Amino acid sequence: QVQLVESGGGSVQAGGSLRLSCAASGRTYGRNCMAWFRQSLGKEREGIAAIETGGGGKYVVDSMQDRFTISQDRAKNTVYLQMDRLKPEDTAMYYCAAGWVNRNVLSKHEYDYWGQGTQVTVS
């Protein structure tokens, strides 16, 4: 089992920044990717960014590459999502996920472990 705990969400004005953190614990060796997803009311959970925990490869959705950055601190088993120039449409619950990914690192179906989520509200 892998436990994931997100933090860093909150309310911010449009144009502001937030940095989300996801701390992993437990059997962290049972994963090769960690990712961030988000879900707003009435919408599907969508993948935003992912990182290969071993090789460090990073993937960010094209439409967000100019504003969102994913990174990790391997020593702390923690993954971060830096979000800049936030927009009201970024308002959502943000989830961290971990898993052994074989195909699409931004597909929710690839991940077995999920955090409880952290709310981001942009006004």
Side-chain angles (χ1 to χ4, degrees):
Q1 293 288 337
V2 177
Q3 292 79 43
L4 303 172
V5 179
E6 303 103 331
S7 60
S11 297
V12 65
Q13 291 188 338
S17 298
L18 285 173
R19 189 177 81 154
L20 307 183
S21 300
C22 174
S25 60
R27 296 186 178 181
T28 56
Y29 54 81
R31 57 176 170 85
N32 66 348
C33 271
M34 291 184 69
W36 287 98
F37 290 77
R38 72 182 184 185
Q39 188 169 18
S40 51
L41 287 175
K43 294 187 177 180
E44 292 283 328
R45 189 169 298 189
E46 62 174 342
I48 300 170
I51 189 166
E52 296 171 352
T53 54
K58 301 177 183 180
Y59 308 87
V60 179
V61 171
D62 287 347
S63 60
M64 300 175 195
Q65 285 185 356
D66 61 334
R67 299 188 298 121
F68 291 6
T69 304
I70 190 169
S71 62
Q72 66 176 338
D73 184 331
R74 289 196 185 96
K76 296 181 178 179
N77 282 324
T78 298
V79 171
Y80 304 96
L81 183 69
Q82 178 67 41
M83 305 186 294
D84 297 318
R85 298 191 301 282
L86 284 161
K87 305 175 182 179
E89 51 264 43
D90 294 317
T91 295
M93 185 71 80
Y94 284 70
Y95 297 92
C96 176
W100 193 272
V101 178
N102 294 310
R103 296 182 180 179
N104 185 350
V105 297
L106 294 178
S107 169
K108 60 185 178 182
H109 302 293
E110 294 275 4
Y111 293 89
D112 298 315
Y113 304 103
W114 294 86
Q116 80 288 351
T118 185
Q119 179 68 37
V120 171
T121 302
V122 185
S123 60

